[in-house]
Amino acid sequence: MELSRRTFTTLAGTAALGLALAGSGGAATGPRGPRSVPTGPPPPPPRADGRRHRIGFDGHSLLVDGRRLVLWSAGMDPFRLPSPSLWRDVLQKLRAHGHNAVSVSVPWNHHSPEPGRYDFTGVRDLRLFLDTAAEERLYVILSPGPYLGPDVDAGGLPGWLTAVDGTARTDDPEYLRHAEEWLTAVNTIAVRHLFTAGGGTVLLYRLEDGIPDGDPAGQAYLARLYAKARADRIDVPLFHGDGRFGLAEDGTRTPGFDSDAGYERPGHLTALAGGITAQNVRTVFGGTSWGWLPGTGAPASYGLGAPVDEGRRPTADMAPLQQFGHLVRTVPDLARLDPAGGIRAADGRLTVRHLTNPDTGAQVYVVRNDSSDEVRSMLPDSGIEVPVTVAPHDAKLLVSGLELGRRTLAYTTAQPMLSMAAGRLDVAVFVGRSGEQAQLALDCDVQPEVLRADTEPAWSYDRGRLNLVAPLGVGGLSRVLVKGGDSDVPLVLLFADDATALRLWPYETPSGSLLVYGPAMLRSATLHGSTVHLVGDVVAETGVEVWGPRGITSVTWNGEPVRTYLGRSGSLVMEGMMPDAPTVTLPALDGWRRRGGSPESEPDFDDSEWTVADRTSSHGTTPVPEGSPVLFADDYGFHYGDVWYRGRLTDTRDVTSVSLSYGAGTHGLLMAWLDGRPLGSHRMPAPEKGEGTRTATAVFEVPGKRRGRGGHVLSVLVRPMGHDGDARAKDPHKAARGLVAVRFGGRSRSVEWRIQGATAPDRVRGPLNNGGLHGERNGWHLPGFDDRGWRAVEFPRRERRQGVAWYRTEFRLDVPADVDASIGLTLDDEPERAYRAQIFLNGWNLGQYLNDVGPQHTFVLPNGILRTRGANTLALAVLADGTTLSGPREVRLTLLGAARGGVPVKAVDSPGRG
């Protein structure tokens, strides 16, 4: 199946949306579907309902069952949160903060420890994740690769692929055989969760991370992947790469889609103004690249600065995402916008995009300030009769002529956040930065009654206009109730700054929508009779306020009754306050025991069971040095973590130096010993800008007293920092890891080499957890290992040594059962000390601390792996290069945050060593 670049782009980015949905019973609307779908309510939140659904598009938006959908997706990778019960926690936070979809990547290397074997159990349970997303009523964008990008080892390609024939990401038949087998394994699960057939909520399917333009083999490969997906009955829209759609070949306009939207307001508002009604924020929750998941040289923490941090705590950066999500979900006018006449701000530092909805006549203005100054300016000819203020490097979406329930908004200088009905009330929320003043006008032929529930807002009525002014951020939420006049349905107007808006939670129930104000988060709301049962999180002392469906007279919070009274704005208001989350006390880490972990460096170490390194050819891209055996770790099946080499020489007379060439990625490490005595260490330097895969050479002098007749042993430890995942290179993952070449100064010597890396992985933690350190191969990191013979020690440590040292201790936690505490492990020392520590909690490898590199000092300990009510085993494998004193100096538990609430957490299986 060959496609030209133009045809392929059309298929990948546009026409794929309109393909017939064969085999599902659904049908795509596509460009030949209805000529015009009017503005109306969006589709209800999705679920696995067993019904057939149609997915299509027109020039403005995706269409789901004939209704317009503005897709607002959040990136979350479940493989970076190895505690499946916490997946629900993050999904609930994404939904509560306005997202209606989640984008999920499925890394091949995480699921495939060897050719032909695919594991979707335990922390790899894709079925469970897709079921949970459907239960939380989120659409899913599924990304099975095969290549996922450089942020994960080898771009997600499995380690064993380095040692087989075939050029990856091309139409090479040998590679395609493996890639299509992988996709078969994923698609067998995915097809049962497609929204088209009602088995789940998978709405879109993304292939690859991008193929360089002008690469015929890559384009042919992508065509094969598309054909494979369709052959496997994946009948939802397909796309690849960055996902930005354009024009079909016949000129048909297609909905814009940005799969890499940012966190900031100007980005997603500008995109919406440009017709992009499907956006995915790549990393809303990053999580942890635990074990050997990280891309080369990357820290364990992924997505630093993500709006939901690694400890699952929403940050202030969620505010613009939440506001946009609830806006596009509750204001259907935004799903169908056409460019309108040009509007210029009086102050040229502001740029204005003017759009209109052809069905409702609503006018939309995206006002952007790219300057470093706050700008206050009139917008002539916009109908907005007062100046608009935009903060530096910010943007606002303003509207006029918008229906707020049964009333019409003339204009506003604050961005709307949502518009909804809650029982007998219409409710609208307007937001902006703290300190700004919101001005709003309603068209009212008949003067209404205006009730202020708070003292801050002010109002006036003049010639058919109700004018309101409210300072944002003063006193929290400002409430105004508008009654009578042109409508019998009261309208509640709420004004909030960014921080206050993060405590507003709309929720849809079968009996109608409700809005909750106050708590740190609302997870769910259910109605039984006249009672609404709310479930959520409390961090700080707070009240609760509810605007809800008709007939609601009482409230419970997390199962406990809440006494309420009827507020002036038609809400049920809690009497008193809910207390903040209780204090969580963490124990000191003491009782440490130590044992040296480099016996492989000793000349009498028994390596008879190790693999003999005697191959003469390699599948890798690094040339094999002439006259040398293959020493690359991957060719001997050692793909992750540390690798040991032992070379036997019969004579070292006249050997003045040893040159060790190796590949290890950024910050990779090599250490060498001769007859148990350190020769020295070497760290792989960071690559220069634009520089690709490379090796480095460490040259060590051989002391005179180490030169002589008889047997000698050269021991080498290499710590690779992952396989390359550069999308611009051919097979970057096949670049050598481990030793590449060994040369001797003075006189050449023949060496018999043996190699040892990680042993077979356990089925629970998978192939990416362990490396080849002696302690890992012998279970020193596992719960239940008998360390009573180890030496008792205390921190801080002050040792100058080269090699590996292991430390173990146990600690108990007793966190209250109703508290979700996020806990990390913090290591700290003088930055000039050159050592690193691999962190194992209950046998799980949760990251690597590089003391003299940084920036990461705190490592999240995911609940489930961490027993918050019980005993835990902590082990540190500390590698020191001998150039400085090494620690650790301080190792402590750190409370990252606590909330009264959370989700039930199940313990993650952590097999030990009895």
Side-chain angles (χ1 to χ4, degrees):
M1 179 179 181
E2 292 187 1
L3 300 173
S4 70
R5 176 183 171 191
R6 183 182 180 195
T7 303
F8 182 80
T9 301
T10 300
L11 172 62
T14 60
L17 284 173
L19 294 178
L21 303 181
S24 72
T29 306
R32 294 184 177 85
R35 288 179 177 271
S36 177
V37 175
T39 299
R47 58 191 178 94
D49 56 9
R51 300 177 181 177
R52 304 292 185 184
H53 295 278
R54 295 177 298 125
I55 306 171
F57 72 95
D58 66 5
H60 293 94
S61 70
L62 289 169
L63 303 173
V64 174
D65 295 329
R67 296 189 184 187
R68 296 193 177 280
L69 173 70
V70 177
L71 193 71
W72 182 233
S73 174
M76 172 203 173
D77 292 327
F79 64 90
R80 288 192 170 98
L81 182 56
S83 182
S85 56
L86 293 182
W87 296 343
R88 185 180 301 278
D89 172 69
V90 176
L91 290 172
Q92 287 182 349
K93 286 169 177 169
L94 299 182
R95 183 204 61 209
H97 287 88
H99 290 281
N100 58 12
V102 60
S103 173
V104 53
S105 299
V106 190
W108 188 356
N109 56 6
H110 183 45
H111 295 271
S112 182
E114 59 189 41
R117 181 177 161 194
Y118 304 99
D119 186 350
F120 291 93
T121 63
V123 299
R124 295 165 294 279
D125 194 341
L126 178 61
R127 298 175 185 87
L128 175 61
F129 181 85
L130 296 178
D131 286 341
T132 306
E135 290 166 5
E136 296 305 330
R137 309 197 73 176
L138 288 166
Y139 293 109
V140 174
I141 302 174
L142 188 65
S143 303
Y147 177 81
L148 297 176
D151 295 329
V152 64
D153 183 86
L157 303 179
W160 56 259
L161 197 66
T162 62
V164 300
D165 285 331
T167 302
R169 310 184 70 213
T170 71
D171 58 349
D172 185 301
E174 186 64 16
Y175 170 72
L176 281 172
R177 180 173 69 86
H178 294 296
E180 291 184 343
E181 188 178 82
W182 159 244
L183 291 176
T184 296
V186 177
N187 292 345
T188 299
I189 297 170
V191 74
R192 294 184 174 90
H193 292 82
L194 299 177
F195 186 61
T196 45
T201 56
V202 175
L203 184 77
L204 300 175
Y205 183 100
R206 177 179 184 260
L207 289 160
E208 284 288 304
D209 188 62
I211 291 291
D213 290 340
D215 180 358
Q219 300 301 314
Y221 160 60
L222 285 171
R224 280 288 295 265
L225 297 186
Y226 273 82
K228 171 63 177 172
R230 292 305 186 206
D232 286 347
R233 297 181 294 121
I234 303 299
D235 60 10
V236 298
L238 307 175
F239 66 98
H240 77 274
D242 62 13
R244 289 176 172 82
F245 300 162
L247 293 179
E249 284 192 325
D250 62 1
T252 304
R253 180 182 171 186
T254 65
F257 180 33
D258 182 358
S259 67
D260 195 14
Y263 306 145
E264 302 297 329
R265 211 172 350 239
H268 52 255
L269 291 182
T270 301
L272 181 69
I276 297 178
T277 54
Q279 298 186 49
N280 174 65
V281 184
R282 178 67 68 94
T283 307
V284 177
F285 169 76
T288 302
S289 293
W290 55 277
W292 296 101
L293 268 169
T296 177
S301 293
Y302 180 73
L304 292 170
V308 179
D309 68 22
E310 191 180 358
R312 300 175 291 107
R313 307 296 159 183
T315 70
D317 290 334
M318 281 301 301
L321 306 188
Q322 179 177 10
Q323 293 164 19
F324 183 78
H326 291 314
L327 172 66
V328 298
R329 186 178 60 83
T330 63
V331 179
D333 307 63
L334 302 178
R336 190 182 185 201
L337 294 175
D338 291 330
I343 297 290
R344 291 182 178 273
D347 189 317
R349 290 174 294 177
L350 297 183
T351 58
V352 184
R353 294 287 298 274
H354 178 202
L355 306 110
T356 185
N357 183 293
D359 299 323
T360 66
Q363 305 296 307
V364 175
Y365 307 92
V366 173
V367 186
R368 180 165 174 159
N369 177 13
D370 291 322
S371 78
S372 300
D373 302 314
E374 180 179 276
V375 176
R376 180 175 172 85
S377 174
M378 295 295 295
L379 304 181
D381 304 318
S382 67
I384 299 176
E385 299 174 358
V386 293
V388 171
T389 301
V390 185
H393 305 293
D394 201 357
K396 283 184 177 181
L397 183 146
L398 306 178
V399 292
S400 64
L402 179 70
E403 297 299 320
L404 300 180
R406 285 78 168 176
R407 302 176 191 269
T408 301
L409 175 69
Y411 67 81
T412 174
T413 65
Q415 180 169 305
M417 174 174 160
L418 62 85
S419 176
M420 59 185 288
R424 297 181 177 89
L425 302 171
D426 291 326
V427 181
V429 178
F430 296 85
V431 294
R433 289 181 178 255
S434 180
E436 291 182 356
Q437 185 165 263
Q439 295 186 250
L440 178 150
L442 295 176
D443 285 329
C444 302
D445 291 335
V446 179
Q447 181 172 348
E449 180 183 2
V450 181
L451 300 175
R452 296 181 302 169
D454 303 280
T455 60
E456 288 78 14
W459 66 274
S460 65
Y461 180 80
D462 182 40
R463 290 175 293 182
R465 284 275 175 90
L466 176 64
N467 301 289
L468 295 107
V469 178
L472 301 178
V474 179
L477 189 67
S478 293
R479 310 158 183 84
V480 175
L481 179 64
V482 181
K483 300 173 63 177
D486 296 341
S487 174
D488 294 332
V489 178
L491 170 65
V492 178
L493 297 171
L494 304 177
F495 300 92
D497 66 353
D498 289 344
T500 304
L502 281 172
R503 298 168 59 200
L504 282 165
W505 309 107
Y507 198 90
E508 296 170 339
T509 77
S511 300
S513 297
L514 56 83
L515 179 65
V516 175
Y517 171 61
M521 180 182 166
L522 177 69
R523 294 182 180 273
S524 66
T526 54
L527 275 61
H528 296 290
S530 61
T531 302
V532 57
H533 300 275
L534 306 176
V535 176
D537 295 356
V538 172
V539 174
E541 184 180 63
T542 184
V544 177
E545 187 171 3
V546 183
W547 292 267
R550 296 184 181 185
I552 298 301
T553 59
S554 58
V555 177
T556 70
W557 179 263
N558 289 350
E560 298 295 326
V562 174
R563 296 185 61 181
T564 61
Y565 62 88
L566 184 62
R568 296 189 66 191
S569 62
S571 60
L572 292 177
V573 183
M574 178 181 180
E575 295 181 2
M577 303 284 278
M578 288 191 293
D580 56 9
T583 300
V584 175
T585 302
L586 301 178
L589 296 176
D590 51 20
W592 291 96
R593 292 181 177 272
R594 181 193 186 280
R595 183 174 179 179
S598 311
E600 299 92 338
S601 66
E602 298 300 325
D604 58 353
F605 179 82
D606 183 5
D607 60 15
S608 59
E609 299 298 320
W610 287 21
T611 301
V612 177
D614 58 0
R615 298 190 176 192
T616 58
S617 63
S618 169
H619 292 285
T621 55
T622 302
V624 178
E626 185 176 353
S628 172
V630 174
L631 297 175
F632 315 153
D634 285 298
D635 284 273
Y636 297 97
F638 304 124
H639 307 302
Y640 306 112
D642 299 279
V643 182
W644 274 98
Y645 296 84
R646 284 172 58 86
R648 297 189 182 275
L649 301 86
T650 57
D651 191 346
T652 58
R653 290 177 299 167
D654 302 325
V655 174
T656 58
S657 64
V658 178
S659 297
L660 302 172
S661 296
Y662 71 109
T666 304
H667 303 308
L669 181 68
L670 177 145
M671 293 187 283
W673 294 259
L674 183 60
D675 298 334
R677 302 289 184 177
L679 288 177
S681 62
H682 186 273
R683 177 179 291 177
M684 183 72 68
E688 300 293 334
K689 185 176 181 180
E691 185 178 24
T693 300
R694 62 185 178 131
T695 60
T697 300
V699 180
F700 303 116
E701 180 183 352
V702 176
K705 59 185 177 181
R706 303 260 70 85
R707 307 173 195 170
R709 295 179 184 273
H712 298 270
V713 176
L714 176 61
S715 301
V716 181
L717 174 62
V718 179
R719 166 158 288 187
M721 296 291 285
H723 298 84
D724 290 325
D726 187 350
R728 299 167 298 177
K730 287 290 187 185
D731 277 348
H733 63 293
K734 288 189 174 183
R737 289 297 182 260
L739 283 180
V740 173
V742 180
R743 296 179 177 85
F744 298 94
R747 180 181 295 184
S748 178
R749 298 294 181 189
S750 62
V751 185
E752 178 188 87
W753 286 102
R754 290 178 181 266
I755 181 174
Q756 178 64 57
T759 55
D762 68 65
R763 283 292 303 272
V764 173
R765 300 180 181 94
L768 293 160
N769 193 70
N770 289 5
L773 294 179
H774 183 82
E776 292 175 290
R777 304 198 307 270
N778 290 276
W780 295 2
H781 60 303
L782 297 176
F785 178 82
D786 186 358
D787 60 10
R788 288 175 294 179
W790 292 23
R791 181 163 58 94
V793 297
E794 295 180 352
F795 292 152
R797 304 296 298 165
R798 292 176 59 86
E799 303 172 329
R800 187 181 295 274
R801 57 175 175 77
Q802 176 179 298
V804 185
W806 282 80
Y807 301 88
R808 283 173 55 94
T809 191
E810 291 189 355
F811 64 92
R812 295 188 64 86
L813 295 175
D814 190 19
V815 177
D818 64 342
V819 172
D820 177 15
S822 182
I823 296 170
L825 183 75
T826 299
L827 295 89
D828 202 6
D829 211 332
E830 287 85 359
E832 64 273 8
R833 293 189 178 187
Y835 69 91
R836 56 191 67 190
Q838 208 72 27
I839 300 166
F840 294 90
L841 177 70
N842 297 325
W844 289 83
N845 180 351
L846 295 181
Q848 180 178 179
Y849 169 69
L850 281 71
N851 181 69
D852 58 334
V853 175
Q856 187 170 359
H857 288 266
T858 297
F859 296 76
V860 171
L861 308 177
N863 295 349
I865 291 177
L866 178 70
R867 310 304 197 238
T868 58
R869 296 179 63 81
N872 297 274
T873 298
L874 179 64
L876 304 177
V878 178
L879 276 70
D881 64 14
T883 60
T884 68
L885 289 173
S886 68
R889 180 186 68 179
E890 184 180 11
V891 182
R892 67 182 186 275
L893 297 174
T894 301
L895 182 65
L896 304 177
R900 192 188 299 274
V903 299
V905 177
K906 295 181 180 179
V908 177
D909 193 9
S910 298
R913 187 180 182 92

